[in-house]
Amino acid sequence: MVILHGSDLQVGKPYRPWAAEAFSALAHALAPDLIVVSGDLTQRAKRAEFMVVRGVLDRLPRDVPVVVTPGNHDVPLYRVWERLLAPYRNWRRFISPDLDTVLHMEGATVVALNSSAPRRAIVSGRIDRAQVAFARRACARTADGDARILVVHHHFLPTDPPEGGTPLPRAARLLEAFEEMGIDLILGGHVHQKHMTTSRALVPGDGPGIPIVACGTTASSRGRGTEVGRNSLDVVRLGTTSMDVVPYLLDARARRFVPGEPTVFPRPRGPRPDGGRARVDTKGADA
């Protein structure tokens, strides 16, 4: 399975339309099995911004499933009453009526959880008990041999340098629950630079842990750390025993994404026979 993973388009003041065009061009040339855009599609969640995003998504290959999830920039920041009373109004109108989604496709189940928290946080995110239960139910309906992929905008571990604010609260508890569900891969963004690790950084145990892949900013000027001023995305090739994550950086002159060196992760050990239901304890999750 080949996954094209972009994030943080941030349509608005930081947006680079030529980078979005390069993203679309790669999507058509690569012909992936799945496209993921892991949040912050807009900069200020304005109607006009979402209209542009809708156009970007519509220019992707029509025969490839696209999974998106909201980020903290996809809810209003300064429009306080809208943030409190109808924070996802434009998201629901232009992107999807649902905030948490599950896609069952040949060979994989893809669960996207909305980690934006407009009434509880400004930059940081949250995942609550109901969302963990939602993911558990989706994984329980997945065939044993199929991949289980989780998409969450916010990060679980600090980056180096520490960009992107505070990681998700109770991240270790969440990762433990996701391991028990048999999640094979977590895709996210938010930190505006490539960041790859595994759940073993927080959760001790046997086996390699879940690969956690944060994409940089695919179409904005807000790259950070090693990607200041750069645009990036990832291509994941998911095999039966391992997965290759290839970072791509935008060549500004040629206006095309160019591959770098792959990082190879072993696939986590298979799910528990009960689908992880025995120990999905989210008492520590911030509700």
Side-chain angles (χ1 to χ4, degrees):
M1 174 175 290
V2 177
I3 305 168
L4 176 59
H5 173 211
S7 193
D8 296 77
L9 306 181
Q10 294 192 292
V11 169
K13 188 175 181 180
Y15 179 56
R16 291 172 166 172
W18 59 90
E21 290 170 7
F23 173 53
S24 178
L26 180 61
H28 284 273
L30 186 66
D33 300 291
L34 172 69
I35 298 172
V36 170
V37 185
S38 53
D40 279 3
L41 278 63
T42 69
Q43 176 67 7
R44 287 290 173 252
K46 296 178 180 178
R47 183 178 184 275
E49 294 173 353
F50 273 110
M51 290 177 68
V52 173
V53 169
R54 184 69 263 166
V56 172
L57 298 179
D58 288 345
R59 288 191 293 275
L60 296 173
R62 293 185 179 274
D63 58 343
V64 178
V66 179
V67 172
V68 296
T69 192
N72 50 291
H73 278 273
D74 295 318
V75 297
L77 177 61
Y78 301 114
R79 305 191 303 278
V80 178
W81 287 113
E82 185 180 349
R83 183 180 181 90
L84 292 175
L85 299 177
Y88 300 106
R89 178 174 59 187
N90 286 330
W91 178 275
R92 294 183 190 276
R93 179 175 181 181
F94 292 100
I95 308 301
S96 170
D98 301 310
L99 302 176
D100 299 322
T101 63
V102 56
L103 168 68
H104 294 286
M105 58 183 292
E106 184 177 355
T109 290
V110 187
V111 180
L113 299 181
N114 168 33
S115 61
S116 66
R119 300 181 184 92
R120 293 174 287 171
I122 299 296
V123 175
S124 300
R126 300 288 189 275
I127 295 176
D128 64 26
R129 301 170 189 169
Q131 292 175 295
V132 173
F134 176 87
R136 181 193 67 197
R137 291 192 298 272
C139 289
R141 296 193 297 270
T142 302
D144 284 343
D146 285 1
R148 301 175 184 190
I149 300 164
L150 179 68
V151 181
V152 175
H153 175 68
H154 286 85
H155 56 313
F156 290 84
L157 291 111
T159 60
D160 184 20
E163 304 283 3
T166 306
L168 286 162
R170 307 293 191 262
R173 289 284 191 96
L174 291 168
L175 290 174
E176 184 180 32
F178 295 140
E179 281 194 11
E180 291 165 352
M181 295 175 205
I183 296 294
D184 290 289
L185 173 65
I186 297 175
L187 299 175
H190 187 64
V191 294
H192 292 197
Q193 61 179 311
K194 179 186 69 177
H195 186 239
M196 293 188 285
T197 184
T198 76
S199 57
R200 284 291 161 267
L202 282 181
V203 180
D206 299 328
I210 307 170
I212 305 172
V213 178
C215 180
T217 174
T218 299
S220 88
S221 61
R222 301 188 68 224
R224 297 176 180 145
T226 59
E227 296 184 19
V228 170
R230 303 297 301 274
N231 296 107
S232 66
L233 51 79
D234 299 308
V235 174
V236 182
R237 290 179 169 85
L238 186 61
T240 56
T241 60
S242 65
M243 64 187 77
D244 295 352
V245 182
V246 182
Y248 280 62
L249 285 174
L250 183 69
D251 182 328
R253 284 189 171 184
R255 294 195 172 183
R256 66 184 182 91
F257 282 98
V258 178
E261 292 298 318
T263 297
V264 181
F265 292 96
R267 283 222 8 204
R269 58 183 176 178
R272 293 159 51 104
D274 60 7
R277 286 172 287 177
R279 288 194 59 205
V280 179
D281 175 9
T282 60
K283 291 180 181 178
D286 191 329

